[in-house]
Amino acid sequence: MANQQDAGTEGKPKTAKQLEKEAKKAAKLAKFAEKQAKVAEKQGDGQQKKPKKVEEKKVTTYEVPTPAGEKKDINVELPAQYSPKYVEAAWYDWWKKEGFFKPEYGRNLDEDNPKGKFIMVIPPPNVTGSLHLGHALTNSVEDAICRWNRMTGKTTLWVPGCDHAGIATQVVVEKKLQREEGKSRHDYGREEFVKRVWRWKNEKGDRIYHQLEKMGSSLDWDRTTFTMDPGPQEAVKEAFVRMHEDGTIYRSNRLVNWSCTLKSAILDIEVEKKELAGRTELSVPGYKDKVEFGVLVSFAYQVEDSTERIVVATTRIETMLGDTAVAVHPSDERYKHLVGKVLIHPFTGRKLPILQDDFVEMEFGTGAVKITPAHDPNDYEVGKRHNLPFLTIFSDDGYILDGYGPFTGMKRFEARKAVLDALKEKGLYVETKDNPMVVPVCSRSKDIIEPMIKPQWYVKCSEMAKKAIEAVKSGELEIIPKMHEKTWYHWMEEMRDWCISRQLWWGHQIPAYYATIVDAPAAPQEYIQKSDENWVSGRTKEEAQQKASAKFGVPPEKIILKQDPDVLDTWFSSGLFPFSVMGWPNKTRDMELFYPNTLLETGHDILFFWVARMVFFGQKLLGKLPFKQVYLHAMVRDAHGRKMSKSLGNVIDPMDVIYGITLQELHRQLEENSNLDSREIIKAKEGQKRDYPQGIPECGTDALRFALCAYTAQGRDINLDVLRVNGYRNFCNKLWNATKFALMNIGKDFKPYPSLSTLQNKVREAKKKCVDQSSTVPSSSSMSCNVNSDDHHLGSMSELNEQLEHFSYVKGYLPTQADLAVLERLRNSDLSLSQYPHVLRWYCHMSSYSDSERRSLPTEDGNGPLFGKQEHFWQKGELRMVDRWMLSQLAFAIQECNAGFQEFNFPRATTALYNLWWYQICDVYLECLKPVMYSDDEEAKETSRNVLYTALDVGLTLISPFMPFLSEELFQRLPPRTPNRPPSLCITSYPEPQQYTVFLDGEIDEKFKFGQKVIGEVRSAKAKYDIPSKTKVEVTLQCEEVNNRATLEALSQDIATLTVASKVNVATGKPKGSVPTPITADTVAWMKLQGLVNLSSCQEKIQKRVKDAEERLNALKAEMSKPGYDKVPEDVKNKNAKKRLDLEAELEQSLDAISKLEAMETE
């Protein structure tokens, strides 16, 4: 079990950064091994060697017939190797069937739970897709939070659901119908098309739920909600009608962000702003050739009845077809004589007034600005101020409308070229130059946004935004991390009214109706579009009919209603999610019990998309916030820091990480399941080949969850190398092997102490004994000795016999003058030693010492074992120092894990757990137990087994929220401490710090840390002298300070175990034939090499190492001194500088080793 890394012996918990480095190192080693294998393969190409048959690695699976929902068979022997497929089988169905994830489990909801409640809703994923790593991160974090809260005893509810995803779902189904049947939605009509969408949803929509189950998400599936279910539909109608009635929702004809591909308006926050440094060609949906952006085109308008021209400039030359004016600044003297005159449009003959407006920047360009009110946000405002015509030149799908001569019917970006050519023909073209600009791109379709004037429904947001700001400022709503508060305030203060109309068929059709009166004169179309007067809303058509009747003062039968064909923005129904899932607007039991929620957890990218909407609606419709806290996790990026994108080939399905996937299969998925064009697929495949040359290895759910939580540092994006997750699979394997080994040593018939209090009392007794011993110096008269010398008081013969049962000598593991004094006293007595076997063994051994050996024994100052101020030496059944250290580390891990969850600092918890299992339980404690377990001391075994059992029991419980499958599998194999142990680990109580406070022991931690420093230095010394780590070496620890010497004596067996030493002596003198390694100012570790190694041969090996290091160092220095090295990238310079320091340190260590070996030869 021992891991020979020195890092594990220093006693310092690994930081998240260190763990990240180690995971990177593991990934690099894996890649290096692959490279070496390829090199070996190439070298063997020309050789006539029979290729070795490579056996495919067998994957262990759970094959015991277990009906779905029945408990897994835990009586079968655990497989030899950790296998995610074996471990993760059967458990989830059992958890689900038993109802462990329901708030009703094990309690009466009518009774108050003194520990409180925890309620959270899932950020509903789109029904269209499958999980990606962003979803996996969200659900790993949320499930860990939920499991922890459930295990702390709170009434816990986590509600699952799925979003109908209006735009995305409609696009997916439309493409499917086109691909399979060659038809569009218009061929079916709205009603039939919506039926087709429902059919698709019922066939494919559950996939994401199955993936959530595979991720181990502890959701209450009986409360699953789809945002188009009857309940949410009722909630949407209720919310719309209420807010329309009080004026919060209104209709207006305004400029919107229009996607010609989707033929729908989209939100400002759904627009990606692509920054261009200058002339750039971009791919645009619907166009074969790329379209040029990032240029400013200047052209001239002719002044009517004059030879003068005004030059204007634009980045969208095609929009000049819709120009209705040219504006100049009122203070611009260049154009004052032209103000009030008109320009002639070269293609339509339209007259364009020259007007003055303060928005014009005189210094920019020519100081004259073309005004296109219907297609530009700034021009729109100018048009309203000056009452200009608003001319829409594009159809909904981006074609030039009738009335524009040869340009009519052209696509907008084809018209761009045609207009430019026509201007050149008329001699009106001036120039084209590079122009840094921002291009608005639809995040849904990747189309270039076209500002268009459309009649839409809007939500007034200013008042709701003020309340949302106040909620955060007052502390009523807490946003975590706090740095996101600034973004919250910025968005709210800059809030514009929310356009909620979408020109789609799939979604919540707006419950608003246009009312006309029978026999009344028909209103102009323009009036219908712009006016809100004739619109009524209703939860049902009948309700709307009655409203219209009352509004217009005519009988209902005189009213003709036509429902708005548009649907509501998907975020409208999502904004109601925290209470619509509970049954609102009805007064349900769930609304009473579970609203408001406790926490909203999501990615910071939808703080405004979703979180703000929920806060708005919660306060507006229910008068209370929907949740008390918002935790915003980081975003997942790829290993290179790039955003996950299908076109880059770096979007990874978490199922592929869990199960593993070949590169060929990754390629196949791209071809079958993406909407990319052939060029983008080629590019994406290249990205996959570069990042996953061997595919993705099987990592398992637990490793993926742990990895995602481990890298979720607050306030940072996660650059996740998927191959690094495999490092956490190795961690799972470590847990598996450690627990298997521990269970073997505990034994099948082991019964742990029935209560933790037994160990707690042992620790209290040990602490008290240490305090008593350190505060009292016993005198000779108080010890009532039967065996003593003039200077050494030893107590009774029984005490001496017990002392020598555990230690080789009177003073511990080192013979001293005290042994000779007691030996002399016994020789002069008439005592029979036959009743004291350990004294007899010691007596015979000490009698064999020669006179010279006796004279060389160190003197004793009276402050060692059994004398005055001394280290505690263990009686039968008492805790050893390593036992107390293990319990102390356990208590520290409990503190760290609970604090990590309370602070939403998940790396704090995962780092503590990694350290606990890998470096403390596996690398140290299990190794130190081996001599005990192989001994005949049954009482020591029993004590150690109980400490080990407690470490396993607590360690598995602590890690359960992150690794639910592996922890459950191993927990079920542990014998129960009490007969009424909960049936599953997921409903077992989470360890609370106050229960384990007694185990915390700073003094023991420091002493053990000292021992670990010795271990680390001895291991390093073995490497320094080229001694294999498994070769046993005799070690002498020379120490002058009394307490440190006592600590080393107490730990000498553990030091011997962890350094693979044949013997560890503790002395005050320098031994012969040994080389020194300094530990502290007063402690030196001497390693006996004489007789173990050939000194000359050892020197030769080290000399070769020196030569190699010198050559590499000289080459590196030459490289770093080359001309132009200052131009080398900074990261390369830093790597070279570190490499140089490492080589210099290696040289120094090797030369020092040679000098010490030479000195030893002269002894």
Side-chain angles (χ1 to χ4, degrees), residues 169-182:
T169 305
Q170 180 161 312
V171 168
V172 165
V173 177
E174 279 193 273
K175 285 186 176 181
K176 180 177 184 291
L177 294 175
Q178 184 65 46
R179 184 174 62 250
E180 296 177 359
E181 302 177 29

mmCIF file with all atom_site columns, all heavy atoms in Angstrom, residues 169-182:
data_model
loop_
_atom_site.group_PDB
_atom_site.id
_atom_site.type_symbol
_atom_site.label_atom_id
_atom_site.label_alt_id
_atom_site.label_comp_id
_atom_site.label_asym_id
_atom_site.label_entity_id
_atom_site.label_seq_id
_atom_site.pdbx_PDB_ins_code
_atom_site.Cartn_x
_atom_site.Cartn_y
_atom_site.Cartn_z
_atom_site.occupancy
_atom_site.B_iso_or_equiv
_atom_site.pdbx_formal_charge
_atom_site.auth_seq_id
_atom_site.auth_comp_id
_atom_site.auth_asym_id
_atom_site.auth_atom_id
_atom_site.pdbx_PDB_model_num
ATOM 1   N N   . THR A 1 169 ? -35.990 23.006 -29.929 1.00 0.00 ? 169 THR A N   1
ATOM 2   C CA  . THR A 1 169 ? -36.811 21.829 -30.229 1.00 0.00 ? 169 THR A CA  1
ATOM 3   C C   . THR A 1 169 ? -37.473 21.951 -31.589 1.00 0.00 ? 169 THR A C   1
ATOM 4   O O   . THR A 1 169 ? -37.505 20.993 -32.374 1.00 0.00 ? 169 THR A O   1
ATOM 5   C CB  . THR A 1 169 ? -37.881 21.641 -29.128 1.00 0.00 ? 169 THR A CB  1
ATOM 6   O OG1 . THR A 1 169 ? -37.235 21.570 -27.861 1.00 0.00 ? 169 THR A OG1 1
ATOM 7   C CG2 . THR A 1 169 ? -38.679 20.383 -29.364 1.00 0.00 ? 169 THR A CG2 1
ATOM 8   N N   . GLN A 1 170 ? -37.990 23.143 -31.885 1.00 0.00 ? 170 GLN A N   1
ATOM 9   C CA  . GLN A 1 170 ? -38.643 23.328 -33.188 1.00 0.00 ? 170 GLN A CA  1
ATOM 10  C C   . GLN A 1 170 ? -37.653 23.094 -34.327 1.00 0.00 ? 170 GLN A C   1
ATOM 11  O O   . GLN A 1 170 ? -37.965 22.437 -35.314 1.00 0.00 ? 170 GLN A O   1
ATOM 12  C CB  . GLN A 1 170 ? -39.240 24.733 -33.290 1.00 0.00 ? 170 GLN A CB  1
ATOM 13  C CG  . GLN A 1 170 ? -39.933 24.988 -34.620 1.00 0.00 ? 170 GLN A CG  1
ATOM 14  C CD  . GLN A 1 170 ? -40.889 26.160 -34.578 1.00 0.00 ? 170 GLN A CD  1
ATOM 15  O OE1 . GLN A 1 170 ? -41.716 26.272 -33.670 1.00 0.00 ? 170 GLN A OE1 1
ATOM 16  N NE2 . GLN A 1 170 ? -40.793 27.048 -35.552 1.00 0.00 ? 170 GLN A NE2 1
ATOM 17  N N   . VAL A 1 171 ? -36.417 23.590 -34.155 1.00 0.00 ? 171 VAL A N   1
ATOM 18  C CA  . VAL A 1 171 ? -35.396 23.420 -35.196 1.00 0.00 ? 171 VAL A CA  1
ATOM 19  C C   . VAL A 1 171 ? -35.059 21.940 -35.371 1.00 0.00 ? 171 VAL A C   1
ATOM 20  O O   . VAL A 1 171 ? -34.961 21.439 -36.498 1.00 0.00 ? 171 VAL A O   1
ATOM 21  C CB  . VAL A 1 171 ? -34.129 24.233 -34.850 1.00 0.00 ? 171 VAL A CB  1
ATOM 22  C CG1 . VAL A 1 171 ? -32.971 23.835 -35.751 1.00 0.00 ? 171 VAL A CG1 1
ATOM 23  C CG2 . VAL A 1 171 ? -34.409 25.719 -34.974 1.00 0.00 ? 171 VAL A CG2 1
ATOM 24  N N   . VAL A 1 172 ? -34.889 21.211 -34.264 1.00 0.00 ? 172 VAL A N   1
ATOM 25  C CA  . VAL A 1 172 ? -34.536 19.787 -34.335 1.00 0.00 ? 172 VAL A CA  1
ATOM 26  C C   . VAL A 1 172 ? -35.616 18.997 -35.063 1.00 0.00 ? 172 VAL A C   1
ATOM 27  O O   . VAL A 1 172 ? -35.332 18.178 -35.953 1.00 0.00 ? 172 VAL A O   1
ATOM 28  C CB  . VAL A 1 172 ? -34.318 19.209 -32.912 1.00 0.00 ? 172 VAL A CB  1
ATOM 29  C CG1 . VAL A 1 172 ? -34.306 17.684 -32.942 1.00 0.00 ? 172 VAL A CG1 1
ATOM 30  C CG2 . VAL A 1 172 ? -33.017 19.724 -32.332 1.00 0.00 ? 172 VAL A CG2 1
ATOM 31  N N   . VAL A 1 173 ? -36.879 19.231 -34.694 1.00 0.00 ? 173 VAL A N   1
ATOM 32  C CA  . VAL A 1 173 ? -37.964 18.460 -35.308 1.00 0.00 ? 173 VAL A CA  1
ATOM 33  C C   . VAL A 1 173 ? -38.147 18.859 -36.773 1.00 0.00 ? 173 VAL A C   1
ATOM 34  O O   . VAL A 1 173 ? -38.398 18.006 -37.633 1.00 0.00 ? 173 VAL A O   1
ATOM 35  C CB  . VAL A 1 173 ? -39.273 18.639 -34.510 1.00 0.00 ? 173 VAL A CB  1
ATOM 36  C CG1 . VAL A 1 173 ? -40.427 17.898 -35.193 1.00 0.00 ? 173 VAL A CG1 1
ATOM 37  C CG2 . VAL A 1 173 ? -39.096 18.111 -33.082 1.00 0.00 ? 173 VAL A CG2 1
ATOM 38  N N   . GLU A 1 174 ? -38.012 20.152 -37.062 1.00 0.00 ? 174 GLU A N   1
ATOM 39  C CA  . GLU A 1 174 ? -38.113 20.590 -38.459 1.00 0.00 ? 174 GLU A CA  1
ATOM 40  C C   . GLU A 1 174 ? -37.058 19.908 -39.326 1.00 0.00 ? 174 GLU A C   1
ATOM 41  O O   . GLU A 1 174 ? -37.341 19.438 -40.440 1.00 0.00 ? 174 GLU A O   1
ATOM 42  C CB  . GLU A 1 174 ? -37.966 22.108 -38.558 1.00 0.00 ? 174 GLU A CB  1
ATOM 43  C CG  . GLU A 1 174 ? -39.236 22.877 -38.252 1.00 0.00 ? 174 GLU A CG  1
ATOM 44  C CD  . GLU A 1 174 ? -39.133 24.337 -38.656 1.00 0.00 ? 174 GLU A CD  1
ATOM 45  O OE1 . GLU A 1 174 ? -38.650 25.139 -37.833 1.00 0.00 ? 174 GLU A OE1 1
ATOM 46  O OE2 . GLU A 1 174 ? -39.526 24.669 -39.784 1.00 0.00 ? 174 GLU A OE2 1
ATOM 47  N N   . LYS A 1 175 ? -35.837 19.862 -38.842 1.00 0.00 ? 175 LYS A N   1
ATOM 48  C CA  . LYS A 1 175 ? -34.752 19.220 -39.600 1.00 0.00 ? 175 LYS A CA  1
ATOM 49  C C   . LYS A 1 175 ? -35.019 17.736 -39.767 1.00 0.00 ? 175 LYS A C   1
ATOM 50  O O   . LYS A 1 175 ? -34.731 17.152 -40.818 1.00 0.00 ? 175 LYS A O   1
ATOM 51  C CB  . LYS A 1 175 ? -33.410 19.448 -38.894 1.00 0.00 ? 175 LYS A CB  1
ATOM 52  C CG  . LYS A 1 175 ? -32.880 20.863 -39.055 1.00 0.00 ? 175 LYS A CG  1
ATOM 53  C CD  . LYS A 1 175 ? -31.493 20.998 -38.467 1.00 0.00 ? 175 LYS A CD  1
ATOM 54  C CE  . LYS A 1 175 ? -30.932 22.395 -38.735 1.00 0.00 ? 175 LYS A CE  1
ATOM 55  N NZ  . LYS A 1 175 ? -29.574 22.559 -38.194 1.00 0.00 ? 175 LYS A NZ  1
ATOM 56  N N   . LYS A 1 176 ? -35.560 17.106 -38.742 1.00 0.00 ? 176 LYS A N   1
ATOM 57  C CA  . LYS A 1 176 ? -35.874 15.676 -38.808 1.00 0.00 ? 176 LYS A CA  1
ATOM 58  C C   . LYS A 1 176 ? -36.921 15.419 -39.886 1.00 0.00 ? 176 LYS A C   1
ATOM 59  O O   . LYS A 1 176 ? -36.797 14.495 -40.703 1.00 0.00 ? 176 LYS A O   1
ATOM 60  C CB  . LYS A 1 176 ? -36.375 15.196 -37.441 1.00 0.00 ? 176 LYS A CB  1
ATOM 61  C CG  . LYS A 1 176 ? -36.730 13.715 -37.369 1.00 0.00 ? 176 LYS A CG  1
ATOM 62  C CD  . LYS A 1 176 ? -37.148 13.356 -35.942 1.00 0.00 ? 176 LYS A CD  1
ATOM 63  C CE  . LYS A 1 176 ? -37.414 11.866 -35.805 1.00 0.00 ? 176 LYS A CE  1
ATOM 64  N NZ  . LYS A 1 176 ? -38.626 11.437 -36.526 1.00 0.00 ? 176 LYS A NZ  1
ATOM 65  N N   . LEU A 1 177 ? -37.974 16.232 -39.908 1.00 0.00 ? 177 LEU A N   1
ATOM 66  C CA  . LEU A 1 177 ? -39.033 16.061 -40.896 1.00 0.00 ? 177 LEU A CA  1
ATOM 67  C C   . LEU A 1 177 ? -38.514 16.314 -42.311 1.00 0.00 ? 177 LEU A C   1
ATOM 68  O O   . LEU A 1 177 ? -38.875 15.612 -43.255 1.00 0.00 ? 177 LEU A O   1
ATOM 69  C CB  . LEU A 1 177 ? -40.202 17.000 -40.584 1.00 0.00 ? 177 LEU A CB  1
ATOM 70  C CG  . LEU A 1 177 ? -40.959 16.722 -39.274 1.00 0.00 ? 177 LEU A CG  1
ATOM 71  C CD1 . LEU A 1 177 ? -42.002 17.792 -39.032 1.00 0.00 ? 177 LEU A CD1 1
ATOM 72  C CD2 . LEU A 1 177 ? -41.605 15.345 -39.309 1.00 0.00 ? 177 LEU A CD2 1
ATOM 73  N N   . GLN A 1 178 ? -37.646 17.311 -42.441 1.00 0.00 ? 178 GLN A N   1
ATOM 74  C CA  . GLN A 1 178 ? -37.084 17.621 -43.750 1.00 0.00 ? 178 GLN A CA  1
ATOM 75  C C   . GLN A 1 178 ? -36.193 16.483 -44.232 1.00 0.00 ? 178 GLN A C   1
ATOM 76  O O   . GLN A 1 178 ? -36.228 16.085 -45.399 1.00 0.00 ? 178 GLN A O   1
ATOM 77  C CB  . GLN A 1 178 ? -36.286 18.931 -43.670 1.00 0.00 ? 178 GLN A CB  1
ATOM 78  C CG  . GLN A 1 178 ? -35.731 19.424 -44.992 1.00 0.00 ? 178 GLN A CG  1
ATOM 79  C CD  . GLN A 1 178 ? -36.822 19.800 -45.979 1.00 0.00 ? 178 GLN A CD  1
ATOM 80  O OE1 . GLN A 1 178 ? -37.779 20.477 -45.612 1.00 0.00 ? 178 GLN A OE1 1
ATOM 81  N NE2 . GLN A 1 178 ? -36.697 19.357 -47.218 1.00 0.00 ? 178 GLN A NE2 1
ATOM 82  N N   . ARG A 1 179 ? -35.410 15.935 -43.301 1.00 0.00 ? 179 ARG A N   1
ATOM 83  C CA  . ARG A 1 179 ? -34.475 14.869 -43.644 1.00 0.00 ? 179 ARG A CA  1
ATOM 84  C C   . ARG A 1 179 ? -35.206 13.568 -43.979 1.00 0.00 ? 179 ARG A C   1
ATOM 85  O O   . ARG A 1 179 ? -34.855 12.861 -44.925 1.00 0.00 ? 179 ARG A O   1
ATOM 86  C CB  . ARG A 1 179 ? -33.508 14.651 -42.472 1.00 0.00 ? 179 ARG A CB  1
ATOM 87  C CG  . ARG A 1 179 ? -32.417 13.631 -42.736 1.00 0.00 ? 179 ARG A CG  1
ATOM 88  C CD  . ARG A 1 179 ? -31.423 13.581 -41.585 1.00 0.00 ? 179 ARG A CD  1
ATOM 89  N NE  . ARG A 1 179 ? -32.011 13.186 -40.322 1.00 0.00 ? 179 ARG A NE  1
ATOM 90  C CZ  . ARG A 1 179 ? -32.196 13.989 -39.278 1.00 0.00 ? 179 ARG A CZ  1
ATOM 91  N NH1 . ARG A 1 179 ? -31.839 15.267 -39.358 1.00 0.00 ? 179 ARG A NH1 1
ATOM 92  N NH2 . ARG A 1 179 ? -32.741 13.544 -38.159 1.00 0.00 ? 179 ARG A NH2 1
ATOM 93  N N   . GLU A 1 180 ? -36.230 13.239 -43.209 1.00 0.00 ? 180 GLU A N   1
ATOM 94  C CA  . GLU A 1 180 ? -36.904 11.954 -43.358 1.00 0.00 ? 180 GLU A CA  1
ATOM 95  C C   . GLU A 1 180 ? -38.075 11.976 -44.339 1.00 0.00 ? 180 GLU A C   1
ATOM 96  O O   . GLU A 1 180 ? -38.374 10.972 -44.986 1.00 0.00 ? 180 GLU A O   1
ATOM 97  C CB  . GLU A 1 180 ? -37.395 11.469 -41.985 1.00 0.00 ? 180 GLU A CB  1
ATOM 98  C CG  . GLU A 1 180 ? -36.257 11.182 -41.009 1.00 0.00 ? 180 GLU A CG  1
ATOM 99  C CD  . GLU A 1 180 ? -36.761 10.784 -39.627 1.00 0.00 ? 180 GLU A CD  1
ATOM 100 O OE1 . GLU A 1 180 ? -38.009 10.756 -39.437 1.00 0.00 ? 180 GLU A OE1 1
ATOM 101 O OE2 . GLU A 1 180 ? -35.924 10.505 -38.754 1.00 0.00 ? 180 GLU A OE2 1
ATOM 102 N N   . GLU A 1 181 ? -38.770 13.127 -44.418 1.00 0.00 ? 181 GLU A N   1
ATOM 103 C CA  . GLU A 1 181 ? -39.974 13.176 -45.240 1.00 0.00 ? 181 GLU A CA  1
ATOM 104 C C   . GLU A 1 181 ? -39.928 14.251 -46.313 1.00 0.00 ? 181 GLU A C   1
ATOM 105 O O   . GLU A 1 181 ? -40.847 14.343 -47.143 1.00 0.00 ? 181 GLU A O   1
ATOM 106 C CB  . GLU A 1 181 ? -41.200 13.393 -44.345 1.00 0.00 ? 181 GLU A CB  1
ATOM 107 C CG  . GLU A 1 181 ? -41.366 12.302 -43.277 1.00 0.00 ? 181 GLU A CG  1
ATOM 108 C CD  . GLU A 1 181 ? -42.549 12.580 -42.357 1.00 0.00 ? 181 GLU A CD  1
ATOM 109 O OE1 . GLU A 1 181 ? -43.520 13.215 -42.813 1.00 0.00 ? 181 GLU A OE1 1
ATOM 110 O OE2 . GLU A 1 181 ? -42.489 12.177 -41.178 1.00 0.00 ? 181 GLU A OE2 1
ATOM 111 N N   . GLY A 1 182 ? -38.883 15.095 -46.273 1.00 0.00 ? 182 GLY A N   1
ATOM 112 C CA  . GLY A 1 182 ? -38.767 16.145 -47.266 1.00 0.00 ? 182 GLY A CA  1
ATOM 113 C C   . GLY A 1 182 ? -39.831 17.214 -47.138 1.00 0.00 ? 182 GLY A C   1
ATOM 114 O O   . GLY A 1 182 ? -40.195 17.868 -48.132 1.00 0.00 ? 182 GLY A O   1
#
